Amino acid sequence: MHCPFCQFPDSRVVDSRTSDDGQSIRRRRQCPDCGRRFSTSETASLTVVKRSGVAEPFSRDKVITGVRKACQGRPVTADQLARLAQQVEEAVRTAGRAEVDAHDVGVAVLAPLRELDEVAYLRYASVYQAFDSLEDFEAAIALLRAEHDVRSTDSADSADAVPEDAAVRSR
């Protein structure tokens, strides 16, 4: 690392700390030539490889832009979209690879978007998974309904369950 003050080609690390979000490391450095200190921030780069073979840095803004189109006219806030983009980035980074396919980013969008808004999920999935017919939509809706019914049954079962000590107290 070149010293920003005297351009000496080396520096030594005095202190290292992870940032609040855990995505970068802040290093305090000192130049052995002029003795001045400066800070650097290091992040692991994440590259997305498109179908055409072009590679570009991962961008939360691009995720938000793509999902925003699917959420048009839906009750989804900018904060919710920002959280979704963060979840997508975390999911992609946990793969542990420096380069990921654009397809993998799209797959990572589907689950958090389904939790956020089912209609937006269907819109996004219809384009991303290339729905060709009404049967594709019907199959996706049937899957959503089945998951919704399972969740409803689980919550009804837990509401019906009365703790044993509460049942004894009510007698």
Side-chain angles (χ1 to χ4, degrees):
M1 169 64 64
H2 283 77
C3 173
F5 305 108
C6 70
Q7 303 306 313
F8 190 73
D10 196 15
S11 63
R12 92 181 166 87
V13 176
V14 178
D15 184 36
S16 293
R17 297 180 185 182
T18 58
S19 65
D20 292 335
D21 64 0
Q23 299 295 323
S24 63
I25 297 175
R26 182 179 175 271
R27 298 198 194 280
R28 193 76 178 130
R29 297 176 174 269
Q30 183 172 9
C31 175
D33 191 45
C34 70
R36 295 181 73 180
R37 291 185 175 199
F38 57 97
S39 296
T40 59
S41 179
E42 300 174 17
T43 58
S45 64
L46 181 60
T47 304
V48 177
V49 180
K50 296 184 169 189
R51 274 184 252 146
S52 65
V54 175
E56 63 181 45
F58 177 85
S59 169
R60 286 186 187 181
D61 291 334
K62 283 196 170 193
V63 171
I64 291 171
T65 300
V67 173
R68 182 176 286 131
K69 290 175 186 173
C71 294
Q72 197 168 13
R74 302 296 304 157
V76 177
T77 66
D79 286 342
Q80 289 172 315
L81 289 176
R83 276 193 300 276
L84 182 136
Q86 180 180 357
Q87 290 173 325
V88 169
E89 183 176 5
E90 289 170 359
V92 171
R93 284 191 184 274
T94 57
R97 299 185 330 247
E99 284 189 354
V100 295
D101 292 332
H103 176 78
D104 296 336
V105 175
V107 168
V109 168
L110 290 172
L113 184 56
R114 182 176 7 178
E115 292 297 317
L116 181 61
D117 188 277
E118 291 176 337
V119 172
Y121 164 78
L122 281 173
R123 290 175 177 171
Y124 186 87
S126 70
V127 173
Y128 182 74
Q129 295 175 335
F131 287 8
D132 291 328
S133 65
L134 288 176
E135 288 78 23
D136 293 336
F137 276 99
E138 289 171 345
I141 291 170
L143 182 63
L144 285 173
R145 280 193 176 131
E147 290 174 1
H148 191 274
D149 290 346
V150 167
R151 278 187 260 139
S152 296
T153 303
D154 288 346
S155 63
D157 289 345
S158 64
D160 291 341
V162 178
E164 191 175 313
D165 59 335
V168 170
R169 274 186 261 132
S170 65
R171 287 185 198 162

